[in-house]
Amino acid sequence: MAEHHFHLKADWPGGRNSEGYIEAGNLKTKISIPQEMDGPGIGTNPDEMLLGAAATCYVITLAAMIERAELPLKEMSHESEGIVDVTNGVITYKKIIHRPTVLLKEIATEEHYSKLKKLVEKAEKSCMISRAIQGNVVLELQATIR
């Protein structure tokens, strides 16, 4: 069994509407509460970072699966949307919607497309971030395959 350890250092001067700073490997950025939640909106925030973690994990997992399956990938892009619910002052990260767009080269066969459709869904179940939030945040997939 191998374990990988990741570390984050945060500086926060105090107060709800302050701005802080985080460093975690290559991630170095200001942080604050987003404007949508009546914060200063400086730098990034936990909502964006959770969405970023889920989206990048999904797209990297999908890319690795496509490569291993030797599918004739032409190009791939990805968009994700995070939905946060605020009810009676309780903030809940409700849903993440992944919208990958995957284009195969002209030489792709029906078998390639069939395999790709399976991989697009399997990547969501295989991503470690998706597994980590499973049961707490609804994960939805809206794929475009061409």
Side-chain angles (χ1 to χ4, degrees):
M1 180 174 119
E3 288 186 348
H4 303 279
H5 295 249
F6 300 91
H7 301 274
L8 182 139
K9 180 179 182 273
D11 292 316
W12 189 265
R16 180 192 187 280
N17 286 322
S18 295
E19 80 178 62
Y21 185 80
I22 60 170
E23 288 188 28
N26 291 320
L27 176 64
K28 296 170 179 36
T29 188
K30 292 181 180 181
I31 57 169
S32 72
I33 295 173
Q35 287 182 330
E36 296 86 349
M37 295 179 181
D38 299 320
I42 298 167
T44 192
N45 58 69
D47 310 287
E48 290 174 344
M49 292 194 324
L50 180 60
L51 180 61
T56 55
C57 185
Y58 173 78
V59 77
I60 290 169
T61 300
L62 179 58
M65 290 178 160
I66 289 171
E67 184 177 290
R68 269 181 274 169
E70 298 180 352
L71 297 181
L73 180 65
K74 182 175 182 179
E75 63 183 64
M76 182 168 61
S77 62
H78 183 79
E79 293 183 18
S80 288
E81 176 182 359
I83 300 170
V84 175
D85 178 64
V86 182
T87 302
N88 298 325
V90 178
I91 302 168
T92 305
Y93 213 113
K94 184 176 175 181
K95 182 188 247 185
I96 293 175
I97 304 167
H98 292 309
R99 296 184 181 104
T101 299
V102 184
L103 283 72
L104 295 181
K105 294 177 182 173
E106 293 74 22
I107 62 167
T109 65
E110 284 303 315
E111 186 178 333
H112 288 134
Y113 282 101
S114 177
K115 181 69 172 174
L116 178 59
K117 287 177 186 174
K118 291 176 187 171
L119 293 179
V120 164
E121 292 185 23
K122 185 178 180 184
E124 181 59 59
K125 295 171 182 70
S126 300
C127 163
M128 72 173 181
I129 301 298
S130 297
R131 291 193 322 266
I133 63 176
Q134 186 177 25
N136 294 308
V137 177
V138 175
L139 296 165
E140 184 177 316
L141 186 61
Q142 297 175 359
T144 302
I145 296 172
R146 295 185 265 171

